[in-house]
């Protein structure tokens, strides 16, 4: 039973004699199983309290750098701020660097300013391009851990990734799409905000692979580079509908769903099944109105908590963790909305 605590400290925590604790730790006989459990619990309690002591009075300044539509960055900010009390006794302060779109050079300039100024950690959602890879390397050289959020940068020096298994999410969308379309004919529109975000690419690959296996008769029509913004999304969807009169369903990987539905309405077309991602304020309203079939969602608060814990572990304030599992994928319909 490995532990760093003196027998006297364990005995005091457990309310037992030092001799009893010594017998338990060294596997000698004459000790009841319940007493052994009390010793084990005392060690676990001491270990947890030691962690609390390490965190006491520590302040972690974390920079959040996110390229995404405003509806997503609003949800991210709210998730982090909701989790701050659970991170006590440590204090986490955050600086937000949000942008909807723009040249990658502006993004890398932001990351380089953080590297020069200093930070305890960066939580990053960014496109997977060489310029970002190089900027993350410069952060690592400056001793600043980077945690990727929602979309990974596996070829970089990032510390960890938090979010869902995006391939599994895409395959889940394909399964639901097939079940709900049933025998009705029709092609499926897949919509990405950008081909440079790995999470969207992985969702699309998971969706396409599962559809090819489960429903090879259906044609997938892809649009991309709408940046998840309604202003650009509408024109892309409207053009796709004009080109293909057989589109009857949508898998929205990158957002812009209000514009997508408006394009269907303006074209006089019915959308039989519409599957989207993330319970942001737009999708929440569309679900309540029964204009979306389902939203594939994951708990952003859990992601924020795990990202902050990863930064704390990098600074030795928390013990090393085991294998980190992806966030669970929740299938939310108009009938099981969590709020």
């Amino acid at each position: 039973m490995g532990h760093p605590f003196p027998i006297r400290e364990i005995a005091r925590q457990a309310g037992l004699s030092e001799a009893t604790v010594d017998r338990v730790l060294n596997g000698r006989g004459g000790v009841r199983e319940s007493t052994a459990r009390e010793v084990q619990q005392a060690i676990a309690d001491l270990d947890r309290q030691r962690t609390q002591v390490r965190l006491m009075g520590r302040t972690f300044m974390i920079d959040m750098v996110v390229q995404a539509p405003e509806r997503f960055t609003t949800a991210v900010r709210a998730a982090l701020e909701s989790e701050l009390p659970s991170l006590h006794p440590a204090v986490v302060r955050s600086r937000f660097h949000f942008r909807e779109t723009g040249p990658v050079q502006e993004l890398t300039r932001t990351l380089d300013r953080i590297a020069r100024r200093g930070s305890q950690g960066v939580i990053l959602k960014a496109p997977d391009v060489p310029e970002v890879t190089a900027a993350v390397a410069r952060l690592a050289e400056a001793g600043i851990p980077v945690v990727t959020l929602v979309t990974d940068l596996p070829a970089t020096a990032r510390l960890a990734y938090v979010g869902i298994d995006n391939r599994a999410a895409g395959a889940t969308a394909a399964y639901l799409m097939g079940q709900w379309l049933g025998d009705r004919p029709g092609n499926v529109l897949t919509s990405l905000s950008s081909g440079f975000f790995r999470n969207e690419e992985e969702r699309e690959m998971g969706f396409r692979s599962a559809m090819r296996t489960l429903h090879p008769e259906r044609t997938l029509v892809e649009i991309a580079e709408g940046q998840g913004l309604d202003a650009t999304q509408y024109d892309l969807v409207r053009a796709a509908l004009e080109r293909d009169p057989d589109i009857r369903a949508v898998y929205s990987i990158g957002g812009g769903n209000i514009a997508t539905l408006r394009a269907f309405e303006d074209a006089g077309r019915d959308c039989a099944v519409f599957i989207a991602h993330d319970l942001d304020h737009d999708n929440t309203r569309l679900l309540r109105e029964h204009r979306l079939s389902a939203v594939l969602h994951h708990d952003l608060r859990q992601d924020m908590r795990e990202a902050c814990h990863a930064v704390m572990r990098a600074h030795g304030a928390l013990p090393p963790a085991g294998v980190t599992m992806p966030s669970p994928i929740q299938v939310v319909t108009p009938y099981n909305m969590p709020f």
Side-chain angles (χ1 to χ4, degrees), residues 104-145:
V104 70
Q105 291 79 9
E106 292 181 7
L107 180 60
T108 57
R109 278 197 290 269
T110 297
L111 296 175
D112 286 339
R113 280 197 301 271
I114 294 169
R116 291 192 299 270
R117 182 178 56 198
S119 176
Q120 272 70 56
V122 172
I123 300 174
L124 176 64
K125 179 185 181 295
D128 189 2
V129 295
E131 295 90 339
V132 172
T133 299
V136 172
R138 292 191 288 273
L139 285 166
E141 289 170 3
I144 300 173

Side-chain angles (χ1 to χ4, degrees), residues 44-268:
D45 291 343
L46 286 169
D47 189 59
R48 185 172 58 254
Q49 292 164 21
R50 182 179 61 167
T51 294
Q52 296 293 303
V53 169
R54 284 203 301 264
L55 289 174
M56 189 71 70
R58 296 282 298 270
T59 298
F60 297 88
M61 179 61 75
I62 293 178
D63 288 89
M64 292 203 62
V65 183
V66 178
Q67 179 172 317
E70 179 272 338
R71 60 182 177 272
F72 183 78
T73 55
T74 296
V76 166
R77 183 194 293 266
L80 176 61
E81 292 176 347
S82 296
E83 279 303 301
L84 292 181
S86 73
L87 301 172
H88 289 169
V91 175
V92 173
R93 304 202 181 282
S94 51
R95 294 182 289 233
F96 297 98
H97 313 270
F98 293 159
R99 57 187 234 144
E100 290 196 312
T101 186
V104 70
Q105 291 79 9
E106 292 181 7
L107 180 60
T108 57
R109 278 197 290 269
T110 297
L111 296 175
D112 286 339
R113 280 197 301 271
I114 294 169
R116 291 192 299 270
R117 182 178 56 198
S119 176
Q120 272 70 56
V122 172
I123 300 174
L124 176 64
K125 179 185 181 295
D128 189 2
V129 295
E131 295 90 339
V132 172
T133 299
V136 172
R138 292 191 288 273
L139 285 166
E141 289 170 3
I144 300 173
V146 176
V147 178
T148 53
L149 171 68
V150 176
T151 182
D152 200 8
L153 301 169
T156 68
R158 60 98 168 119
L159 172 70
Y161 162 74
V162 295
I164 60 173
D165 179 333
N166 286 294
R167 281 182 181 262
T172 300
Y175 172 77
L176 296 174
M177 184 68 70
Q179 293 292 307
W180 289 338
L181 277 178
D183 295 331
R184 288 176 290 179
N187 298 336
V188 179
L189 181 70
T190 62
S191 170
L192 294 82
S193 73
S194 171
F196 293 107
F197 284 100
R198 179 171 286 268
N199 65 327
E200 296 191 18
E201 180 184 50
E202 290 176 345
R203 291 173 187 176
E204 193 276 337
M205 288 190 292
F207 184 79
R208 186 174 295 275
S209 176
M211 288 294 290
R212 188 183 303 119
T213 299
L214 300 172
H215 307 286
E217 75 284 359
R218 294 202 185 273
T219 298
L220 305 185
V221 180
E222 180 181 314
I223 59 173
E225 304 309 318
Q227 307 302 322
L229 304 176
D230 288 336
T232 48
Q233 183 75 3
Y234 177 88
D235 292 336
L236 289 170
V237 176
R238 190 66 188 269
L241 293 175
E242 290 174 357
R243 290 192 304 269
D244 191 330
D246 295 323
I247 293 174
R248 294 289 181 273
V250 173
Y251 174 38
S252 175
I253 299 170
N257 300 324
I258 290 176
T260 297
L261 287 165
R262 183 160 52 87
F264 269 84
E265 292 166 359
D266 291 351

